[in-house]
Amino acid sequence: MVREHCDRTTALVNESSQLVLAGHVEPQDDLRAERKRASFSSQELAVVLNGGTEVLQRRSRLISQLQSTSWGSQAAVSQRCFHSREQLHVEGLVAQTEIWKLMQSGALSQQDAKDMETLLTLPGGLTLHQYMFIPTIETQGDEEQQAYWLPKARALEITGAYAQTEMGHGTFVRGLETTATYDRASEEFIIHSPALSSIKWWPGGLGKTATHCIMLARLIINSKDHGLHPFVMQIRDLHTHLPLAGVRVGDIGPKFGYNGVDNGYLMLDRVRIPRRAMLMRHARVTPDGHYFPPSAENAKATYGTMVAIRALLVDEAGWVLARATTIAVRYTAIRRQTSERVGDKELQVLDYQNLAATLLPLVASAYALIFMGKASSDMYKRFEQDRDAGNLASLPELHVLLAGMKALSTWTAADGIEACRRGCGGHGYSALSGLPDLYASYVQNVTLEGDNNVMSLQTARHLVKSQEAVAKGRRVEGSAAYLQRAEQELHRKCSVQAPQDWQTAEVLDAALRHRATYLAAEGHKLLLRHGGGKINFAGPDWNGNTVQLIHMAQAHSQLVLHTTFAQSVHQADLEPAARAALIKLVALHGMSLLLRDLQDLFMDGYLQAFQAQMLVQRRNELLLELRPDAVALVDSFGIADYQLNSCLGRSDGDVYRALLEAASGQQLNKTEEGPAWNAVLKPWLDPASRQQARSKL
Ligand SMILES: CCCCCCCCCCCCCCCCCC(=O)SCCNC(=O)CCNC(=O)[C@H](O)C(C)(C)COP(=O)(O)OP(=O)(O)OC[C@H]1O[C@@H](n2cnc3c(N)ncnc32)[C@H](O)[C@@H]1OP(=O)(O)O
Ligand SMILES: Cc1cc2nc3c(=O)[nH]c(=O)nc-3n(C[C@H](O)[C@H](O)[C@H](O)COP(=O)(O)OP(=O)(O)OC[C@H]3O[C@@H](n4cnc5c(N)ncnc54)[C@H](O)[C@@H]3O)c2cc1C
């Protein structure tokens, strides 16, 4: 029936094709023309961005494999937006367990399995098992504990969640309330939720999937509180999947998006777990109740899994924004709207300056974040190697860099998806565009794994401390090392004399560096003034100035992001035409960052009005120069139609046919009269039924 309906509508469209206006252009022709006029080869750039031809080939192989399954077929993927929470939950788990099976049989490597899940973009109840439960045991369990838990977790004999956040506290980790009281007589911990606010609330997979969790609880021995520690805790029976005695567990209900995942709650009534359930790589409790705390440099070891995930989130942000911009740029290149006279060729909406000024800087941000993601994961890998050799010296720098970058990257990606959606007009509001779901399931990233404001304030704390160190004549290393020259920097003025000057890397770097230095110096001064010459990192001095401090951290992270982008393009193995386009993109990125907060550069007289006008002029010229490469730039992300799952973003540009087919094929169109006809509409609208009803009165 659905198929018939679809065929009929398509036939109608074909029949009426002789009636089209003279200026009509087929969308596919528009995309073909866009590709023809690009200045570089998107295939070659895609190889560089994705890390080699093998990566791209491997990905297409994985997509073919997915398409040959019932759970990963194109039809299954495109039907997802019509499904209920329960369906999505089961579908997510089917896909994850099937992928797990392939991995265990040796048909997929661990990396293949992760990539397959990314391609499928169907999060499930096992995501936290992979990304937080297993890694926490790997990094915080001792050898014996790893040998006991990891084989079971990897074989999926148990499944885990990461239970840290509680109803009353997510941000303030030190304030969590669940207790783990040691009972020396039985050599057990008693895990208990002492208040409503202490109920674990939010952990992914905890609601209906997990049999176990990493339980973050305060360790109490002989009434002494030793603060937060991780425990591996069983919550469900392995035969029946029912909660164990003393455990109340469930799903927290529908969310803004991400609804296939069973984020859960967990309430514990004095549940006993063995002493060796406490992960003891860093801190230990002996059978007779002696506590050995972690060494000073491992003091923040309990926070380790969060740092790892923040690195992943930075890596993910650029690719998510790449998906959104691919959809929006391709669509706005085929979408034509308005001509002076009816019947003339209408303009591609991407040629309106307002759209180019929205979308092209977002394309630049996606590139910047992809390069930043690579740099962050390289940095994290180096830290892992050092950590495994017992050296944690790089953790403080890694934490402050990733905290600020997690905030900047997820804010940029989330806001960018929504801007892409709006840029697509009415069709952007349709779920068939792929953008509403992408936004709804992505925007959580500005909150989870450390709310972005809070993360920015961690970076701000470090910047203020660095300013303090410089003032006291101490050296500052790492990403804030530029503050070493704050004194000289604050006397500098912008050197721009002509619009073209804004294009040079030195000028843009200098302006972004000046802005970050100025804001750090101002933030430092502000806190000194409020503290009467002393800096307080808590209390009213700090809490009453967080707007300025967050802004300061953002300026710092933007500087790091931009310089990493510029350096990465400089070092990348690119053909000359692609390099030329990317150099322009780097410039657009820097200019867009400056234009967003231009007032900062006026505050201390760094910039003059004529220089600001030149910046706007040069940015506008750059939009025109980059416009012919817009489609090639998004094609270069190399994102397959399968993964885009969007009627608007499809690579052949056949958008309108795709919309019609997807709309007419859906469940609500299963019957011509619609599901409400018989019971609801018919008694009102059908004259015979009305007559019958009246005669019964
Ligand atoms: C194509 C690629 C795509 C790949 C696909 C990948 C897809 C990704 C998939 C990922 C799936 C995972 C989904 C994740 C789901 C969400 C899970 C959660 O939310 S779980 C729940 C997540 N929950 C959260 O994130 C909670 C957020 N809250 C917190 O993290 C903390 O409470 C706090 C950091 C805000 C404060 O902590 P507090 O203890 O009060 O600390 P103070 O402020 O007093 O500062 C004292 C000192 O400590 C220092 N320091 C601090 N942290 C760290 C660290 N980590 N380390 C080192 N140091 C650290 C700090 O710098 C300072 O140093 P100094 O200045 O003295 O030298
Ligand atoms: C989809 C999703 C999945 C999640 N998955 C997990 C999981 O698997 N495991 C888990 O343990 N947790 C999980 N969480 C919880 C998540 O980590 C927390 O929601 C997050 O850390 C924010 O904490 P909160 O909710 O307490 O926000 P709050 O801290 O209550 O934030 C409320 C507001 O107050 C502001 N604020 C709070 N403190 C400060 C401060 N010190 N300074 C300035 N502003 C402040 C914030 O910026 C925010 O605007 C998940 C959350 C979501 C949304």
Side-chain angles (χ1 to χ4, degrees), residues 499-511:
Q500 193 62 31
D501 293 347
W502 278 113
Q503 179 100 22
T504 49
E506 297 73 29
V507 168
L508 281 171
D509 282 2

Side-chain angles (χ1 to χ4, degrees), residues 48-269:
V48 177
L49 273 185
N50 286 277
T53 321
E54 321 73 55
V55 178
L56 289 170
Q57 285 169 346
R58 200 166 57 83
R59 206 179 298 155
S60 353
R61 180 172 52 74
L62 292 176
I63 291 175
S64 309
Q65 230 170 314
L66 278 167
Q67 280 174 324
S68 69
T69 65
S70 57
W71 44 272
S73 66
Q74 191 72 61
V77 170
S78 54
Q79 282 304 305
R80 232 187 261 154
C81 62
F82 302 109
H83 290 179
S84 69
R85 271 206 80 191
E86 286 73 14
Q87 283 171 305
L88 289 172
H89 173 62
V90 174
E91 283 162 19
L93 282 172
V94 167
Q96 287 183 322
T97 48
E98 287 297 326
I99 293 174
W100 210 282
K101 225 186 275 169
L102 289 170
M103 187 172 63
Q104 278 194 325
S105 71
L108 289 182
S109 68
Q110 209 177 348
Q111 188 58 47
D112 282 345
K114 280 194 170 166
D115 289 352
M116 214 181 224
E117 271 196 49
T118 308
L119 290 168
L120 197 60
T121 41
L122 176 60
L126 288 176
T127 304
L128 272 289
H129 176 72
Q130 302 165 65
Y131 284 98
M132 292 192 91
F133 180 74
I134 292 179
T136 306
I137 299 173
E138 283 171 342
T139 55
Q140 298 188 44
D142 62 28
E143 274 180 30
E144 192 185 80
Q145 291 173 319
Q146 290 184 22
Y148 180 76
W149 293 111
L150 290 176
K152 296 181 200 302
R154 289 180 184 143
L156 226 52
E157 288 164 17
I158 61 171
T159 68
Y162 183 81
Q164 180 174 297
T165 305
E166 296 172 357
M167 182 92 96
H169 294 98
T171 291
F172 185 39
V173 175
R174 282 185 289 127
L176 295 176
E177 296 173 284
T178 307
T179 51
T181 309
Y182 188 60
D183 175 14
R184 208 168 67 176
S186 62
E187 294 184 18
E188 287 172 325
F189 291 104
I190 305 161
I191 313 288
H192 185 59
S193 313
L196 198 58
S197 52
S198 71
I199 297 171
K200 294 292 175 188
W201 195 274
W202 271 118
L206 181 67
K208 292 289 160 194
T209 313
T211 60
H212 287 66
C213 66
I214 300 291
M215 165 58 61
L216 275 294
R218 321 182 73 79
L219 171 63
I220 315 281
I221 306 176
N222 293 330
S223 307
K224 189 167 186 307
D225 185 343
H226 294 283
L228 213 62
H229 287 72
F231 302 81
V232 179
M233 179 173 190
Q234 183 169 353
I235 52 172
R236 286 180 181 273
D237 182 278
L238 290 179
H239 299 280
T240 61
H241 208 57
L242 295 176
L244 297 181
V247 172
R248 210 174 130 189
V249 63
D251 176 271
I252 63 168
K255 303 165 295 252
F256 190 80
Y258 204 61
N259 274 313
V261 175
D262 49 324
N263 292 81
Y265 65 81
L266 175 64
M267 208 173 157
L268 301 159
D269 183 9

Side-chain angles (χ1 to χ4, degrees), residues 133 146 159 173 200 307 418 453 511 583 585 610 612 623 633 665 676 683:
F133 180 74
Q146 290 184 22
T159 68
V173 175
K200 294 292 175 188
V307 178
E418 173 60 4
N453 293 313
I583 286 172
L585 208 60
F610 79 92
L623 293 176
L633 282 167

Side-chain angles (χ1 to χ4, degrees), residues 204-380:
L206 181 67
K208 292 289 160 194
T209 313
T211 60
H212 287 66
C213 66
I214 300 291
M215 165 58 61
L216 275 294
R218 321 182 73 79
L219 171 63
I220 315 281
I221 306 176
N222 293 330
S223 307
K224 189 167 186 307
D225 185 343
H226 294 283
L228 213 62
H229 287 72
F231 302 81
V232 179
M233 179 173 190
Q234 183 169 353
I235 52 172
R236 286 180 181 273
D237 182 278
L238 290 179
H239 299 280
T240 61
H241 208 57
L242 295 176
L244 297 181
V247 172
R248 210 174 130 189
V249 63
D251 176 271
I252 63 168
K255 303 165 295 252
F256 190 80
Y258 204 61
N259 274 313
V261 175
D262 49 324
N263 292 81
Y265 65 81
L266 175 64
M267 208 173 157
L268 301 159
D269 183 9
R270 296 174 183 82
V271 179
R272 288 177 171 268
I273 58 172
R275 180 184 66 91
R276 289 293 285 154
M278 174 176 146
L279 291 176
M280 294 203 192
R281 179 149 165 187
H282 302 294
R284 273 187 310 126
V285 173
T286 59
D288 59 356
H290 274 86
Y291 174 65
F292 292 90
S295 60
E297 73 268 21
N298 279 336
K300 292 289 178 199
T302 318
Y303 293 6
T305 314
M306 292 187 275
V307 178
I309 298 292
R310 287 172 198 149
L312 272 177
L313 295 178
V314 173
D315 200 16
E316 187 195 23
W319 289 106
V320 170
L321 188 56
R323 272 178 67 181
T325 53
T326 301
I327 295 171
V329 167
R330 284 185 184 156
Y331 172 66
T332 55
I334 67 100
R335 180 70 167 176
R336 288 181 175 269
Q337 202 80 240
T338 316
S339 56
E340 271 190 45
R341 281 183 321 152
V342 175
D344 283 357
K345 208 185 222 184
E346 297 171 49
L347 204 62
Q348 289 164 278
V349 294
L350 187 54
D351 284 327
Y352 292 108
Q353 190 191 40
N354 51 307
L355 260 186
T358 303
L359 295 183
L360 294 180
L362 287 175
V363 173
S365 290
Y367 273 83
L369 289 173
I370 287 171
F371 284 115
M372 188 68 229
K374 284 201 175 94
S376 304
S377 43
D378 288 349
M379 201 185 299
Y380 187 76

Side-chain angles (χ1 to χ4, degrees), residues 673-688:
E673 65 279 14
W677 171 247
N678 278 324
V680 186
L681 296 175
K682 195 173 172 185
W684 291 86
L685 302 175
D686 169 36

Side-chain angles (χ1 to χ4, degrees), residues 624-638:
L624 286 174
E625 288 170 30
L626 278 164
R627 170 63 188 89
D629 283 329
V631 169
L633 282 167
V634 297
D635 282 350
S636 303
F637 293 133

